[in-house]
Amino acid sequence: MELAYILSSSEDEEFENIMYRRPKVIRRRPLYFEEYDDIDFHARFRLSKESVTAVLAEIEQEISYKTEQNNVISPMKQLLLTLRFYATGSHLLSAGDYSGVSKTSSHRIIHRVTAAIARLRPRYIKFPMLAEEIKREQMKFFDIARFPRVIGCIDCTHIKVQSFGGNDAEYFRNRKGYFSVNVQAVCNANLEITDLVARWQGTVHDATIFNNSRIRALFEAGTFQNSLLLGDGGYAVRSYFMTPLQNPRTRAEHLYNESHIRTRNTIERVFGIWKRRFPILALGSRFQKVDKVLPVIIATAVLHNIARRAGDPVPANDPELVLPAPWENLLQEGNIAYRHDGPGNNGMQHAIINDYFQSLL
């Protein structure tokens, strides 16, 4: 008797679920690639149509569905949905409504497309390794402010996230009071990202990230010959790593600092352009797991490089984005505790000042 009641009750509940199940809604999926002109398209998706076409060609097979049945979402619409999410940092529901898909579908598509773009990293985020590549980068940096032998400028930037909760949540709260991932990047003279480390919590110091990075190991091993990195005063002076002088006295030292600051300004500009192009980096991701946030950082860096190589216009300033001016960190260097990793590591710095910058006077 009890078994019969249980079966009867279960069947009634299933019937009620069927009776009250919401009907499936087929939303209109706009053809934004055709509907918008080049200006409106770039303003909404932050890449030109040519760049979007190039990205789609790289990932189309990976994100395509095996069948065209059941109103399948095309690869182009999946890519534009993801780009719109990067461009607004909005809720998944809003991104889905804009593209004519459900919140569940938008969640699945964004992670799927993000992973596909992030896997392009080895092709688009590359540090110069060959002798001719190194020489070419040194010449491009030299043309900025005549600083010799520079192969890259390095710094860290905080990518805003929400609290991930758990016992380790406070490790992500940075010195400015919000939760973030501290991302290290190296750039070239074309404002492309050539090396990226996106895995450290917001509380971790920039110097700690560099000391544990692959790029430091390569420089220590002499992989880049006599090339130099430029960084701010928060890093240690090394034979391959130049920082500005805290208290320049001679004309040669002032010239060294001026050339250093103007050259290193490239990495500050990279961060500004990167975050203006993809405001989700500045407004903050609402993903609740760090392993969902890191691919977004990598994917947007890949897209940034694609846009730079294609000559896409830089997005206009957005008053809703609170970003530091490119020179803000430079002006605050006097408040940084300058580091020296050992007593003899600034010998190369003195040699550059005395042998090179002194000769320019």
Side-chain angles (χ1 to χ4, degrees), residues 152-170:
C153 296
I154 187 172
D155 203 356
C156 289
T157 186
H158 289 274
I159 303 300
K160 191 174 182 180
V161 298
Q162 73 169 16
S163 174
F164 298 120
N167 297 330
D168 298 331
E170 287 302 312

Side-chain angles (χ1 to χ4, degrees), residues 50-263:
E50 292 75 13
S51 294
V52 169
T53 302
V55 174
L56 183 64
E58 298 270 12
I59 66 173
E60 185 170 8
Q61 291 186 345
E62 190 170 351
I63 66 175
S64 295
Y65 291 100
K66 296 181 180 180
T67 177
E68 295 295 329
Q69 298 177 353
N70 298 325
N71 199 30
V72 68
I73 304 170
S74 69
M76 174 60 81
K77 290 176 182 176
Q78 294 182 57
L79 177 56
L80 293 184
L81 165 61
T82 305
L83 292 176
R84 183 62 180 170
F85 181 73
Y86 297 163
T88 60
S90 61
H91 292 280
L92 291 170
L93 181 61
S94 299
D97 287 345
Y98 186 81
S99 302
V101 303
S102 67
K103 178 180 178 181
T104 302
S105 294
S106 65
H107 181 275
R108 182 175 64 252
I109 288 169
I110 288 170
H111 288 307
R112 186 183 188 196
V113 175
T114 295
I117 298 174
R119 280 191 280 270
L120 299 177
R121 172 178 178 163
R123 189 177 307 177
Y124 289 101
I125 301 179
K126 297 189 299 183
F127 203 80
M129 302 292 290
L130 302 177
E132 56 270 23
E133 294 175 339
I134 293 173
K135 188 65 175 179
R136 184 164 55 248
E137 290 302 327
Q138 289 177 339
M139 292 300 296
K140 290 179 180 178
F141 272 114
F142 183 81
D143 290 339
I144 296 175
R146 302 185 70 182
F147 204 107
R149 296 163 37 196
V150 177
I151 196 177
C153 296
I154 187 172
D155 203 356
C156 289
T157 186
H158 289 274
I159 303 300
K160 191 174 182 180
V161 298
Q162 73 169 16
S163 174
F164 298 120
N167 297 330
D168 298 331
E170 287 302 312
Y171 288 114
F172 289 90
R173 191 189 298 276
N174 61 35
R175 57 185 171 81
K176 295 184 179 180
Y178 63 86
F179 296 95
S180 68
V181 176
N182 197 6
V183 176
Q184 174 183 283
V186 182
C187 75
N188 62 18
N190 191 42
L191 307 184
E192 298 173 32
I193 296 172
T194 55
D195 188 75
L196 193 69
V197 179
R199 63 187 179 90
W200 292 89
Q201 304 95 327
T203 55
V204 180
H205 193 278
D206 297 2
T208 301
I209 298 176
F210 177 73
N211 290 337
N212 289 275
S213 67
R214 175 176 174 269
I215 198 70
R216 181 207 172 185
L218 291 174
F219 269 98
E220 296 281 355
T223 305
F224 308 112
Q225 303 170 13
N226 65 345
S227 299
L228 300 176
L229 275 179
L230 300 188
D232 63 30
Y235 294 97
V237 178
R238 305 173 191 271
S239 60
Y240 56 84
F241 199 126
M242 297 294 106
T243 67
L245 297 171
Q246 187 175 16
N247 296 304
R249 295 180 176 84
T250 66
R251 290 181 60 195
E253 290 178 348
H254 281 284
L255 186 60
Y256 165 89
N257 262 17
E258 179 184 352
S259 178
H260 185 288
I261 290 173
R262 289 174 57 192
T263 305

